[in-house]
Amino acid sequence: MSDFFNDGWSIFIAVTTIVSIAACLLLLLVAARRKVMANDNTTGHVWDEDLKELNNPLPRWWMGLFVITIVFSAVYLTFYPGLGSYQGKWGWSQAGQYENEMAKAQAQLEPLYAQFTAKTAEELVGDAQAMGIGERLYVNWCAQCHGSDARGSRGFPNLTDGDWLWGGSHDAIKTTIAEGRTGVMPPMGEAVGGGENVRNVAHYVMSLSGSPHDPIAAQLGRAKFGVCAACHGADGKGNTTMGAPNLTDRIWLHGWGEQAIVSIINNGKTNVMPAHADKLTEPQIHVLAAYVWGLSRNTTAQSR
């Protein structure tokens, strides 16, 4: 597609546009000056013996509309983009208009968010107005992946269960929203010895959370778990500085069971949370993070 974005195509588009407008004007002039071919105001064409084609001139108001359209086109292309890479005298663009509208909207919302920036997460969770704004931000920016109820799905973390891959503090959630996260589990099949050793490690992993497992295979896999402990810890409780999941809590982001765990050990897994710093302002991220932080606290309180 890069072949279509160079000076040659820009010139081609500009010339084609100008020639087309000029051709429309020329056609209009030719049609207006066309003479009657017969004395009875017909073109001489007859169908079905008595159906004659008349040669009446276009009404003046109709011709006027054509002329106005052509003039409008010329004026428009002078001030707005349309002639290849020429941006027009006013330099208008969709991106520029969007940025201007966003800047105006943010300026209007700034006083609203100013009252929240100095508040802690606990204070924001207790503020109905802040939580209403946080909920709307969540629906607009987060629900597509984490679900309208924030309970996620396979591959998309549940935000209500208190299990945080990168830390569940308000500041940690703000960092996650603003900068995004990339979690990488490298393929470890060969590192644990491959073959039956992978299955044994999978059963040991399941045993850490008290999930149904083969105790003999789990005992054999325990010795091979050392290569996994570098990220998940010797006790399997994970590491939030690396985004390594806790393997002891029965929360399985990418599926549970021998087959699912064996697949991840052999093939690895990469998960990406996109950054939103270029889409949301700092005050918006502050409020949104407090809303997300409060989701797991509310669920924990209810479960107790």
Side-chain angles (χ1 to χ4, degrees):
M1 289 298 294
S2 60
D3 294 339
F4 291 92
F5 296 94
N6 55 51
D7 293 339
W9 281 107
S10 176
I11 295 172
F12 173 78
I13 292 171
V15 171
T16 301
T17 302
I18 294 174
V19 170
S20 297
I21 294 175
C24 289
L25 180 60
L26 179 62
L27 180 62
L28 180 63
L29 293 175
V30 171
R33 296 181 177 182
R34 186 176 181 181
K35 297 181 179 180
V36 178
M37 298 178 62
N39 295 330
D40 57 355
N41 195 36
T42 66
T43 63
H45 299 155
V46 180
W47 293 271
D48 293 336
E49 298 183 356
D50 58 354
L51 184 59
K52 299 180 180 180
E53 179 184 16
L54 298 180
N55 189 33
N56 293 325
L58 290 174
R60 290 187 178 276
W61 65 268
W62 198 349
M63 292 183 63
L65 288 178
F66 275 117
V67 173
I68 291 174
T69 301
I70 293 172
V71 172
F72 173 82
S73 300
V75 173
Y76 178 91
L77 293 173
T78 300
F79 293 98
Y80 290 95
L83 296 176
S85 60
Y86 175 67
Q87 296 299 311
K89 288 188 175 182
W90 288 350
W92 179 91
S93 69
Q94 290 180 327
Q97 181 172 339
Y98 170 79
E99 291 173 357
N100 290 336
E101 292 177 355
M102 289 297 295
K104 290 180 182 178
Q106 291 175 5
Q108 293 174 351
L109 291 174
E110 186 174 350
L112 174 63
Y113 283 101
Q115 60 183 311
F116 303 133
T117 54
K119 290 186 176 183
T120 64
E122 291 85 352
E123 292 171 332
L124 289 172
V125 169
D127 188 320
Q129 184 183 25
M131 289 299 93
I133 294 173
E135 182 179 17
R136 287 192 290 274
L137 289 171
Y138 174 85
V139 170
N140 288 336
W141 297 100
C142 312
Q144 295 87 339
C145 294
H146 296 283
S148 59
D149 59 358
R151 294 186 180 276
S153 61
R154 185 165 181 169
F156 299 98
N158 183 342
L159 303 179
T160 70
D161 58 12
D163 183 62
W164 299 96
L165 294 176
W166 300 91
S169 68
H170 185 222
D171 286 339
I173 297 173
K174 286 171 62 176
T175 300
T176 298
I177 295 173
E179 300 177 7
R181 301 289 190 181
T182 300
V184 179
M185 159 74 178
M188 300 296 292
E190 293 299 324
V192 301
E196 192 66 16
N197 290 312
V198 174
R199 177 181 178 276
N200 294 337
V201 170
H203 279 270
Y204 177 71
V205 169
M206 289 188 287
S207 74
L208 291 174
S209 61
S211 303
H213 62 279
D214 181 337
I216 297 176
Q219 186 62 32
L220 294 172
R222 181 175 184 176
K224 297 292 185 179
F225 185 76
V227 296
C228 309
C231 294
H232 296 282
D235 56 2
K237 292 187 178 297
N239 187 340
T240 55
T241 60
M242 303 176 65
N246 182 350
L247 304 178
T248 69
D249 56 10
R250 292 197 178 191
I251 296 175
W252 304 95
L253 180 59
H254 299 289
W256 173 85
E258 177 186 322
Q259 184 176 358
I261 299 174
V262 166
S263 176
I264 290 180
I265 294 174
N266 282 326
N267 303 317
K269 181 67 68 172
T270 299
N271 241 28
V272 177
M273 157 76 179
H276 287 75
D278 59 339
K279 304 176 182 68
L280 299 172
T281 64
E282 289 186 14
Q284 287 176 323
I285 292 175
H286 185 71
V287 174
L288 175 57
Y291 174 78
V292 172
W293 178 81
L295 291 174
S296 59
R297 289 176 58 86
N298 292 337
T299 303
T300 302
Q302 293 172 6
S303 64
R304 292 176 181 173

